[in-house]
Amino acid sequence: MKKYLLLIFLSGLLSLSFAQQQPISKEEPKTKLEKFISKEGNLIIKEVLESQTLKGNLSTQITFKSMKISQPGQETNTIKGIKIGIAELSRSRSETIAFLDIDEIESLIKAVDYIIESGIKLKAEKKYIEVIFKTRGDFELGIFIKEDGETTLFANINKYPYPSYYADLEDINQIKTILSSLSKTLL
């Protein structure tokens, strides 16, 4: 009986050690910026051109940074875009990051225009509605309108710990201004 229990115990330990050695699957980079940054064994140059932060409701903030990334000696092969960070300051001081490639900036600005227009039009419908734009890099920007017409601007990054930024609808004009300004720094 003792040998039988010992055999079960040892096989359990053996299976645990094999289970711990399995590699953890990493999510594939979705944007050009993420792909470039995630290359291992390469020296890279990150140049932040401009940075702007907005404070939101519920102790949240969102930061936008225009940036260029290259390798020494290969500056003509520069990747450009915007790094977006969201922090929920009540939970922690760290921020979760998403990247927006330069070719997505204009689409996001157009989406902001649509969100502004729809926020005004859809308030009168007196039902819960969400309008959301999602980028390749897991950044979401949108609004939700409650049945009583109260409208909230939000931004999410769909990466752990899944932070959200909340603000009044009027603050979306500041986001549009920031995106337009940052896109000019990338030209």
Side-chain angles (χ1 to χ4, degrees):
M1 179 73 169
K2 287 182 182 179
K3 288 181 182 180
Y4 181 69
L5 289 175
L6 183 61
L7 183 61
I8 291 173
F9 177 73
L10 289 175
S11 66
L13 280 178
L14 187 61
S15 65
L16 279 176
S17 68
F18 281 117
Q20 290 177 355
Q21 293 175 2
Q22 294 176 349
I24 297 171
S25 63
K26 278 177 79 174
E27 190 174 308
E28 287 293 315
K30 296 178 181 176
T31 67
K32 294 173 191 169
L33 287 165
E34 288 174 316
K35 288 176 187 167
F36 199 89
I37 290 170
S38 68
K39 290 180 185 176
E40 295 178 0
N42 289 321
L43 183 62
I44 60 172
I45 301 168
K46 293 183 196 177
E47 182 182 355
V48 175
L49 306 170
E50 186 178 333
S51 177
Q52 295 191 38
T53 300
L54 293 175
K55 300 242 185 259
N57 302 336
L58 306 173
S59 298
T60 61
Q61 73 177 27
I62 189 167
T63 302
F64 298 89
K65 295 178 181 181
S66 59
M67 59 190 312
K68 294 180 181 180
I69 302 173
S70 63
Q71 290 182 299
Q74 298 179 8
E75 285 80 8
T76 56
N77 187 22
T78 299
I79 308 294
K80 300 174 185 178
I82 296 176
K83 177 180 176 182
I84 303 168
I86 296 179
E88 293 178 351
L89 302 175
S90 60
R91 278 206 268 173
S92 72
R93 288 261 173 223
S94 64
E95 67 180 3
T96 303
I97 304 299
F99 292 97
L100 182 68
D101 288 332
I102 193 168
D103 63 339
E104 288 187 287
I105 297 171
E106 190 59 37
S107 296
L108 181 54
I109 291 171
K110 287 179 182 175
V112 167
D113 286 334
Y114 182 83
I115 290 168
I116 292 168
E117 290 173 24
S118 63
I120 295 166
K121 291 177 188 173
L122 297 173
K123 271 186 176 186
E125 294 198 21
K126 303 290 184 198
K127 56 184 175 182
Y128 183 85
I129 300 171
E130 291 184 14
V131 180
I132 306 166
F133 181 81
K134 184 175 179 178
T135 68
R136 282 190 301 262
D138 292 324
F139 173 70
E140 294 180 344
L141 180 68
I143 58 170
F144 59 87
I145 304 167
K146 295 181 182 176
E147 290 85 356
D148 64 2
E150 181 185 342
T151 305
T152 301
L153 168 68
F154 69 91
N156 298 319
I157 296 178
N158 290 319
K159 296 177 186 172
Y160 184 80
Y162 307 102
S164 295
Y165 164 83
Y166 299 100
D168 299 324
L169 178 60
E170 295 76 30
D171 293 338
I172 199 165
N173 288 315
Q174 287 181 293
I175 290 177
K176 181 180 177 184
T177 301
I178 288 171
L179 290 169
S180 296
S181 172
L182 294 180
S183 90
K184 290 175 186 168
T185 66
L186 297 170
L187 299 177

